Amino acid sequence: MSKNIAVVLGSFHKAEALDMLDEIKQYCAENNFTLAEEVWVPGSMEKPLALKALLSKGHIDGAVVVGIIEKGETSHGFVMATAVIDAIIDIQLATMKPVGVGILGPDITPEQIPARVRPYARSAVTAMNTMFGVLDK
């Protein structure tokens, strides 16, 4: 049975997010998923709200959230990543719909990003797919 999924992407690192989206689309084609919706938000703080709106729609079965929180000069990235992941977990539990997270960071450096973009996106959509199996039992 085909599943309708959504993806939430941060536009701050647009080129990398587009590569992540390409990887997710490839996975969808290989695994009989329909990428029903994609939502672009400015950064990581906006991702939970977009995710909740998407998962509240009856036709969306699960979602993937991707992006990058780069290492900065302060602990802002760590604080942001913690808050965003906590919110995503809460949304996933409240909706009982699986969410795959492919957010690189929070301490990733620009040099580390390119090699991780596609693998993190694939891992996120794979995790969501695995949870479909768990929930469908």
Side-chain angles (χ1 to χ4, degrees):
M1 169 189 261
S2 179
K3 300 278 190 187
N4 289 325
I5 69 164
V7 63
V8 178
L9 308 108
S11 61
F12 191 79
H13 293 91
K14 185 116 187 198
E16 293 85 352
L18 285 168
D19 285 344
M20 291 174 138
L21 181 59
D22 285 345
E23 191 69 28
I24 292 165
K25 286 178 178 179
Q26 182 178 340
Y27 188 97
C28 287
E30 295 165 359
N31 291 278
N32 197 31
F33 289 147
T34 300
L35 183 52
E37 297 204 36
E38 81 184 52
V39 173
W40 288 86
V41 296
S44 290
M45 190 191 98
E46 296 81 15
K47 289 174 185 168
L49 180 59
L51 175 65
K52 187 171 184 179
L54 288 165
L55 292 180
S56 297
K57 297 180 178 185
H59 74 283
I60 299 296
D61 300 307
V64 179
V65 180
V66 296
I68 299 168
I69 301 175
E70 262 187 76
K71 181 179 178 83
E73 295 178 10
T74 68
S75 60
H76 172 78
F78 181 78
V79 171
M80 180 60 64
T82 301
V84 168
I85 296 300
D86 285 349
I88 289 171
I89 291 168
D90 289 346
I91 293 164
Q92 179 176 238
L93 294 173
T95 61
M96 290 302 293
K97 294 181 179 182
V99 178
V101 179
I103 299 174
L104 285 74
D107 282 336
I108 196 162
T109 64
E111 299 78 33
Q112 295 169 322
I113 293 171
R116 290 170 172 80
V117 167
R118 287 186 177 270
Y120 268 62
R122 183 159 285 265
S123 291
V125 73
T126 300
M128 180 204 61
N129 189 15
T130 298
M131 291 310 297
F132 279 135
V134 171
L135 294 172
D136 288 345
K137 287 185 180 181

